């Protein structure tokens, strides 16, 4: 038998002492006693083409959300045409890996085809026509995945920043009760699934109060709502941790589940406001793309610090939070590469473009172990 050289023995000893041979901790296992840990996934991942991303999803996450495939324009692009194959694959991936499966989203003013709101002549549809289309869409889509999809974002981003109801074609044609109708239709189609309201900037006091009003109005009417999804589209410095905490506490007092959804951290400067309003979009601009060749160490440390603060808060309120979902798997999957400024190189997630964990990942793991 060939003996190892002294040098080889020294190298192996160092590797063992530094934990080189230890497997990367799994996010879902570290937070198993706290809350579900999820990721939004795309078509290439559910089709199995992006094998490295799928491996990360299976290893680290126990809940998944579809990034785009269940939005109206993708799943129901024409009046009598549905595209269910990507969603079928998505649901199959979740079921095969015993994941909590989210449906995103049934009613939204964005990414909904124009025909939904129009008659055959291109004029605004009548209230009855639009209600009928909403009901049929929800019955068909949510009904198809009854007892397969575990929770639905029934309504998405229905509030203005001041907490008032956003003026959209839904509210203009149907009226303010379009939300109550959407939740009623969703309950009828998927009575065993959880039903949520999902929005960004819910850390703002005014918008927080608007979401509280939505929940209270639905409950006063006897309409079921099971939770609020607080979209976590944050930056390195905003929003303040205490405002996020205030919303977690306020929503939990309503007797519903609180979820952190769509979590990512924009590390780049941006024009416009904090949030996720798709109407705020800008062309390519080098001023807002300062790190095209890699994130400087100093910014990596800032990102890790920010995730540390967030997960310290989430762990503190683990009895109130049911789920934390990242909006993407690895940095190159993130929508923040193209929004609000197109063509940027952004670094908002825990895994880099090489699919390797970043310092931010290690920071999150520490919070789970030490929190």
């Amino acid at each position: 038998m060939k003996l190892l050289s002294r040098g080889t023995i020294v190298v192996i000893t160092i590797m063992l002492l530094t934990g080189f041979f230890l497997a990367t901790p799994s996010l879902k296992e570290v937070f198993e006693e706290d809350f579900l840990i999820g990721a939004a996934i795309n078509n290439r991942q559910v089709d199995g083409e992006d094998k490295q991303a799928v491996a990360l999803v299976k290893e680290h996450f126990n809940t998944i959300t579809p990034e785009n495939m269940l939005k109206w324009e993708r799943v129901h692009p024409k009046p009598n045409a549905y595209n269910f194959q990507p969603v079928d694959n998505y649901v199959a991936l979740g079921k095969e890996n015993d994941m909590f499966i989210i449906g995103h989203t049934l009613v939204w003013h964005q990414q909904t085809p124009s025909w939904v709101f129009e008659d055959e002549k291109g004029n605004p549809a009548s209230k009855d026509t639009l209600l009928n289309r909403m009901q049929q869409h929800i019955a068909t889509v949510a009904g198809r995945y009854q007892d397969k999809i575990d929770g639905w974002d029934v309504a998405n981003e229905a509030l203005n920043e001041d907490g008032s109801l956003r003026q959209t074609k839904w509210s203009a044609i149907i009226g303010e009760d379009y939300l109550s109708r959407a939740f009623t239709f969703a309950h009828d189609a998927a009575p065993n699934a959880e039903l949520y309201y999902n929005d960004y900037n819910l850390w703002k006091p005014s918008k927080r109060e608007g979401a509280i009003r939505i929940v209270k109005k639905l409950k006063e009417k006897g309409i079921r709502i099971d939770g609020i999804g607080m979209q976590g589209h944050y930056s390195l410095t905003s929003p303040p941790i205490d405002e996020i905490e205030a919303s977690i506490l306020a929503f939990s007092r309503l007797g519903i589940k609180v979820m952190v959804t769509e979590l990512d951290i924009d590390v780049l400067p941006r024009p416009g406001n904090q949030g996720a309003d798709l109407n705020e979009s800008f062309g390519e601009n080098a001023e807002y793309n300062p790190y095209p060749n890699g994130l400087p160490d100093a910014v990596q440390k800032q990102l890790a610090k920010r995730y540390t603060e967030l997960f310290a808060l989430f762990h503190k309120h683990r009895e109130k939070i049911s789920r934390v979902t990242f909006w993407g798997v690895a940095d190159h999957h993130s929508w923040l590469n193209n929004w609000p400024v197109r063509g940027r190189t952004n670094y908002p997630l825990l895994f880099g473009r090489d699919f390797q964990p970043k310092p931010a990942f290690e920071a999150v793991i520490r919070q789970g172990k030490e929190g």
Side-chain angles (χ1 to χ4, degrees):
M1 181 177 68
K2 186 177 179 179
L3 298 177
L4 298 175
S5 68
R6 179 177 296 178
T8 301
I9 292 172
V10 170
V11 170
I12 292 175
T13 301
I14 292 173
M15 286 178 170
L16 288 170
L17 290 175
T18 59
F20 181 87
F21 290 119
L22 296 177
T24 302
S26 169
L27 288 167
K28 65 183 180 183
E29 292 175 358
V30 168
F31 291 97
E32 185 176 12
E33 301 300 320
D34 300 332
F35 37 70
L36 297 173
I37 290 282
I41 59 178
N42 60 35
N43 282 46
R44 292 191 66 248
Q45 290 152 7
V46 302
D47 291 344
E49 296 176 26
D50 192 347
K51 297 186 185 303
Q52 287 177 284
V54 172
L56 285 180
V57 170
K58 291 180 179 180
E59 180 179 356
H60 290 284
F61 303 108
N62 49 19
T63 175
I64 51 175
T65 298
E67 189 172 15
N68 283 300
M69 65 196 76
L70 263 168
K71 291 172 181 173
W72 198 313
E73 68 178 9
R74 298 290 185 89
V75 73
H76 191 185
K78 297 179 181 179
N80 297 308
Y82 288 87
N83 181 25
F84 285 126
Q85 189 58 58
V87 189
D88 290 348
N89 294 342
Y90 162 76
V91 170
L93 175 66
K95 288 297 182 184
E96 289 165 6
N97 293 279
D98 195 27
M99 295 172 171
F100 192 87
I101 303 171
I102 302 298
H104 176 80
T105 174
L106 292 171
V107 175
W108 190 26
H109 63 280
Q110 296 279 7
Q111 293 183 251
T112 302
S114 297
W115 66 261
V116 175
F117 306 105
E118 298 174 350
D119 63 18
E120 59 277 3
K121 296 181 180 179
N123 298 314
S126 68
K127 178 178 179 178
D128 287 345
T129 295
L130 187 54
L131 277 171
N132 185 55
R133 286 174 181 165
M134 178 197 284
Q135 191 276 332
Q136 288 185 340
H137 174 82
I138 293 174
T140 302
V141 176
R144 179 183 179 90
Y145 301 105
Q146 185 180 150
D147 300 326
K148 294 180 180 179
I149 286 181
D150 301 295
W152 282 98
D153 289 334
V154 176
N156 197 51
E157 301 173 6
L159 293 170
N160 293 311
E161 296 302 278
D162 65 0
S164 61
L165 191 67
R166 185 193 291 265
Q167 292 303 301
T168 67
K169 292 179 180 178
W170 291 112
S171 60
I173 296 173
I174 297 175
E176 292 189 3
D177 68 339
Y178 85 91
L179 290 174
S180 62
R181 302 301 291 271
F183 275 88
T184 299
F185 295 151
H187 171 74
D188 292 342
N192 298 320
E194 294 181 353
L195 307 180
Y196 316 129
Y197 174 70
N198 189 60
D199 211 333
Y200 62 87
N201 283 355
L202 290 181
W203 58 269
K204 292 184 175 182
S206 56
K207 204 165 187 179
R208 177 194 309 147
E209 290 304 315
I212 290 172
R213 285 194 297 272
I214 286 175
V215 175
K216 287 184 175 179
K217 285 182 179 180
L218 289 173
K219 288 195 166 191
E220 286 169 2
K221 294 179 179 180
I223 297 170
R224 181 166 63 91
I225 178 171
D226 300 298
I228 283 186
M230 298 171 51
Q231 292 184 23
H233 296 300
Y234 301 149
S235 76
L236 290 171
T237 58
S238 179
I241 291 294
D242 60 347
E243 292 291 6
I244 301 173
E245 182 173 35
S247 290
I248 292 171
L249 295 172
F251 296 148
S252 67
R253 285 194 289 267
L254 296 172
I256 60 175
K257 295 187 175 184
V258 181
M259 292 148 282
V260 179
T261 64
E262 307 188 25
L263 179 60
D264 49 30
I265 297 176
D266 192 344
V267 301
L268 306 182
R270 64 158 72 174
N273 299 316
Q274 179 76 28
D277 189 343
L278 294 185
N279 291 321
E280 292 191 358
S281 185
F282 305 86
E284 293 188 24
N285 188 328
E287 177 184 356
Y288 300 110
N289 189 32
Y291 315 124
N293 300 313
L295 197 62
D297 288 344
V299 186
Q300 287 278 21
K301 291 178 181 178
Q302 285 181 273
L303 181 64
K305 181 176 182 293
R306 182 63 164 158
Y307 269 117
T308 295
E309 295 169 345
L310 288 169
F311 272 83
L313 175 67
F314 301 157
H315 189 270
K316 175 183 177 181
H317 294 295
R318 58 193 179 276
E319 294 182 358
K320 302 176 182 68
I321 296 172
S322 63
R323 170 168 58 97
V324 176
T325 293
F326 292 87
W327 203 241
V329 179
D331 283 341
H332 59 294
H333 299 136
S334 174
W335 72 307
L336 291 175
N337 292 303
N338 286 297
W339 186 92
V341 180
R342 289 193 297 275
R344 297 197 300 174
T345 305
N346 216 326
Y347 308 85
L349 299 170
L350 301 187
F351 297 94
R353 285 169 169 75
D354 57 359
F355 295 98
Q356 296 304 305
K358 295 155 58 177
F361 172 89
E362 297 165 7
V364 168
I365 290 293
R366 281 196 298 273
Q367 284 306 305
K369 288 183 174 180
E370 300 172 2

